[in-house]
Amino acid sequence: MLSAFPWLAAASLASGIVSLGFMRYLWPYRNRLGGRFFLATIGCEALWSLSYGLALFVFDPALREAFEVPIWIAINFIGVFFLAFALEYTGRGHILRSKVMGGVVALQALHTLVVVTNPLHRIAWSDYTVEPTHGLATVVYAHQPWLFVNAAGFVLMIAVASFLLADTVFSYGPLYRTQAAAIAVSPIFPGLPFLLWLAEVGPMPPLNLTPLLFPVHLAFDMYAFFSRDLFEMVPAARRVADRAAIDNLGSAVVIVDSGRRIIECNDEASRLLGTSRDDALGRRFETCFDDVDLDGDNEPITRRRGGRKRTYAVATSPLTGSAGAAVGDTIVFQDITEERRREQRLAVLNRVLRHNLRNDLNVVTGYLEMAEERVDDEDVREMLDVAAENTAGVVELGEKARHIERALDADVDDPDTVELRPLLDEIAEDLSGAEPDAEVVVDVGGDATLRATPSLLETVFENLLENALEHDPSDAPRVTVRVADVETEPGFLAVEVADDGPGIPEHELAVLDETEETALEHGSGLGLWIVKWGVDSLGGTVDFEVTESGTRVVLKLPAASEAAASHGEAGHEA
């Protein structure tokens, strides 16, 4: 009569059947990252469990020893497949094609060959005998050194794979934490009885209870698969994205540790260094970049690449650990060669056009005035007047460009609190002095304040009001500035500038939405561009609405405070 022990054999068979069932559910995911290797791992567990369960009912010594072959094949390749799964699942798939991984597979194949041929040489185990215990075909054999080496490799691979999965738990936060932790912990349960059996700890003859704990291991795997989207959220994507973010940045990136040694760099950085990435790793940063100060502000540096000089802007940022301690620095080298060239060319052209053109046109203006005084023909005098007027317009345009440059170069990163009413009153007074028949109505409460660069804000409103008056053909042009009763984001104040002129032509507004002006569609002046650029620099938005009664421009600009924005609206409604 069988005691309770044969139920352990039945439990081993049941464990194998459960493993096969789990493989059936995993099959559709075989092409996901890590899927095929995870399937192979469960398959090895099924082979081990089924072979061991059947072997416990085989009492013929030769046949019983033959069952050790599939058991040890499963043992040898569980570690290989589980390690391969961990590598691919965590984004280290390139290691699978390395010589090291090839050596691991070759070593396990050698171990398997030794097990298969063990009856010929007995270097894995010896003195193999069947000693029935409680109705089970238990065996006793002497573990030879090769067997311990074989088992050590299996344990080491499982440990490395678990470490890689555990590293994902700590490196990538909660997104992949649960499923990676479940899979990393699961090998502990079958691993412990395997080590006890290997060390021959327990009753004699010892039973290898490892297959009996595979269901516990599978329970963790099933939890990761069914509850935590094992193959839907794969940490390999995060790891590949981290690597790609550095490689595809387009700028040279160097990462150093607290000892200022290079621990990572992308391909662009290695080209900047003039060496391979592997050669760069481990070198001290200052030996490669002696003109870069990681603790201070850095001016652009110049390097030769491909026989040409390139200019790089240097940006450094510290790396800190979980405790807030500095662990290194990230240094980004951005190639600004073309940008510098464009700036230099524009600066030269700007200086030549502004200085030389202004001086030459002033001379032209003087000669036109002299010629007009000496000419009696009215037709000629009229032509000279037109030439003088156009010349003055070009000079005025150059002066406006100079004011624009100064305004846009203002420090927008350190804005001030600006009271809107006094600023608008001053602009209105200046415009009324230049055009006595024009009327500028300022309907803005005294509490309306903005957070802006004063000179830039003044330039924006000055151009809006000036354009509204200049392009109104009536004898008494009128423009009104008021706080607009429109919906805005919290912390913003809407200001409306409205006129009763003919309206801004559609093609003038269309070019503001284009990336560049074209030959057939261009603005007639700088005014609208000044407004657009200025508002963008101030962190606001501008909308134009043209109707039959005129043009309505709504500017939404950062208010000095939430209270200021609400006070401005309250003042307008009152």
Side-chain angles (χ1 to χ4, degrees):
M1 181 176 179
L2 296 179
S3 67
F5 274 94
W7 288 101
L8 298 178
S12 182
L13 292 173
S15 175
I17 294 172
V18 171
S19 298
L20 291 175
F22 191 31
M23 289 179 65
R24 177 177 175 274
Y25 281 102
L26 287 174
W27 186 253
Y29 297 88
R30 62 190 180 278
N31 294 323
R32 302 289 180 88
L33 283 175
R36 52 183 175 159
F37 296 119
F38 196 69
L39 269 168
T41 302
I42 304 300
C44 287
E45 293 175 2
L47 177 62
W48 186 350
S49 299
L50 294 174
S51 299
Y52 188 67
L54 292 174
L56 289 174
F57 293 103
V58 178
F59 291 88
D60 178 77
L63 184 58
R64 177 66 175 84
E65 187 173 7
F67 270 92
E68 298 293 341
V69 174
I71 290 175
W72 279 95
I73 289 176
I75 292 173
N76 286 339
F77 285 95
I78 278 180
V80 173
F81 291 132
F82 190 57
L83 177 59
F85 160 74
L87 289 171
E88 191 170 72
Y89 189 71
T90 60
R92 300 175 173 89
H94 62 283
I95 299 179
L96 296 177
R97 298 177 294 274
S98 67
K99 292 182 180 179
V100 173
M101 195 64 186
V104 169
V105 174
L107 181 60
Q108 294 307 102
L110 176 61
H111 286 320
T112 302
L113 180 63
V114 170
V115 169
V116 171
T117 59
N118 187 71
L120 301 177
H121 46 69
R122 300 296 179 182
I123 63 174
W125 62 77
S126 60
D127 302 326
Y128 192 92
T129 58
V130 177
E131 293 188 8
T133 303
H134 302 290
L136 291 176
T138 55
V139 296
V140 174
Y141 53 84
H143 296 176
Q144 298 300 324
W146 189 282
L147 193 68
F148 289 100
V149 174
N150 190 346
F154 159 72
V155 172
L156 180 61
M157 284 185 285
I158 297 295
V160 171
S162 298
F163 173 80
L164 294 176
L165 293 166
D167 175 67
T168 300
V169 173
F170 296 106
S171 299
Y172 294 149
L175 186 58
Y176 312 103
R177 179 173 293 166
T178 307
Q179 66 263 39
I183 301 173
V185 171
S186 64
I188 296 176
F189 300 96
L192 183 59
F194 179 79
L195 293 175
L196 293 175
W197 169 82
L198 187 66
E200 298 181 311
V201 175
M204 295 299 290
L207 291 172
N208 189 344
L209 302 179
T210 305
L212 305 185
L213 289 179
F214 280 149
V216 180
H217 161 71
L218 290 174
F220 279 86
D221 292 345
M222 289 179 181
Y223 168 76
F225 177 75
F226 291 108
S227 299
R228 306 307 301 179
D229 299 323
L230 175 64
F231 293 113
E232 297 297 333
M233 295 189 300
V234 181
R238 172 70 179 271
R239 188 175 187 87
V240 171
D242 290 346
R243 181 71 245 177
I246 296 177
D247 289 338
N248 299 336
L249 187 61
S251 297
V253 179
V254 178
I255 302 175
V256 300
D257 60 15
S258 56
R260 304 290 170 84
R261 290 181 177 83
I262 299 175
I263 59 174
E264 184 61 282
C265 66
N266 61 4
D267 292 338
E268 189 67 23
S270 65
R271 285 190 285 269
L272 179 60
L273 290 167
T275 185
S276 68
R277 176 175 173 271
D278 292 338
D279 290 339
L281 298 182
R283 295 169 62 177
R284 295 194 66 83
F285 180 79
E286 57 266 24
T287 63
C288 304
F289 299 97
D290 56 356
D291 49 353
V292 176
D293 181 10
L294 297 182
D295 298 319
D297 297 331
N298 286 281
E299 294 293 327
I301 64 172
T302 300
R303 290 288 188 277
R304 280 195 173 274
R305 275 189 54 186
R308 297 184 178 183
K309 286 186 177 182
R310 310 294 297 181
T311 304
Y312 296 89
V314 183
T316 64
S317 59
L319 295 174
T320 56
S322 57
V327 297
D329 294 274
T330 299
I331 307 97
V332 179
F333 299 86
Q334 183 179 3
D335 191 339
I336 59 171
T337 306
E338 297 304 322
E339 180 182 341
R340 278 296 183 91
R341 287 174 181 169
R342 284 194 297 269
E343 288 179 354
Q344 187 180 48
R345 291 166 184 168
L346 287 174
V348 171
L349 289 173
N350 193 20
R351 184 175 64 251
V352 170
L353 287 175
R354 181 180 299 162
H355 182 267
N356 293 13
L357 191 61
R358 183 179 68 244
N359 291 346
D360 291 346
L361 287 177
N362 285 333
V363 173
V364 172
T365 300
Y367 278 112
L368 287 172
E369 291 175 354
M370 293 171 59
E372 187 177 0
E373 294 174 356
R374 300 180 183 183
V375 171
D376 295 329
D377 191 316
E378 288 299 326
D379 292 336
V380 176
R381 290 172 65 88
E382 185 176 342
M383 288 187 286
L384 291 174
D385 283 339
V386 173
E389 183 179 345
N390 288 338
T391 303
V394 174
V395 174
E396 182 182 353
L397 194 63
E399 288 300 312
K400 181 175 286 190
R402 182 169 62 88
H403 291 302
I404 293 171
E405 184 181 33
R406 289 180 179 177
L408 295 180
D409 284 343
D411 187 4
V412 296
D413 295 328
D414 188 21
D416 296 326
T417 298
V418 181
E419 294 182 5
L420 189 55
R421 182 59 185 258
L423 181 138
L424 292 174
D425 285 339
E426 184 177 350
I427 296 174
E429 183 179 351
D430 292 340
L431 292 176
S432 297
E435 298 186 42
D437 296 330
E439 181 182 7
V440 179
V441 179
V442 179
D443 184 15
V444 175
D447 293 335
T449 55
L450 297 175
R451 190 72 176 162
T453 304
S455 61
L456 186 53
L457 187 64
E458 180 181 0
T459 299
V460 168
F461 279 107
E462 186 177 50
N463 275 274
L464 271 178
L465 297 173
E466 187 179 79
N467 283 350
L469 297 176
E470 284 184 357
H471 294 88
D472 190 336
S474 64
D475 295 333
R478 174 187 171 92
V479 60
T480 303
V481 188
R482 63 172 67 91
V483 174
D485 187 12
V486 297
E487 184 178 352
T488 61
E489 296 180 32
F492 279 75
L493 180 67
V495 183
E496 174 188 301
V497 178
D499 63 59
D500 53 4
I504 303 175
E506 183 179 349
H507 73 274
E508 295 279 351
L509 296 177
V511 297
L512 298 178
D513 296 325
E514 303 294 332
T515 57
E516 59 184 17
E517 292 194 345
T518 66
L520 298 177
E521 190 174 48
H522 58 84
S524 61
L526 294 175
L528 295 181
W529 285 109
I530 295 172
V531 173
K532 178 178 172 60
W533 293 335
V535 172
D536 287 345
S537 298
L538 292 170
T541 60
V542 58
D543 294 309
F544 296 87
E545 180 184 347
V546 180
T547 65
E548 294 180 356
S549 59
T551 302
R552 178 174 177 262
V553 184
V554 177
L555 299 90
K556 297 178 182 178
L557 300 168
S561 64
E562 291 279 355
S566 60
H567 287 168
E569 291 189 13
H572 172 63
E573 292 171 359

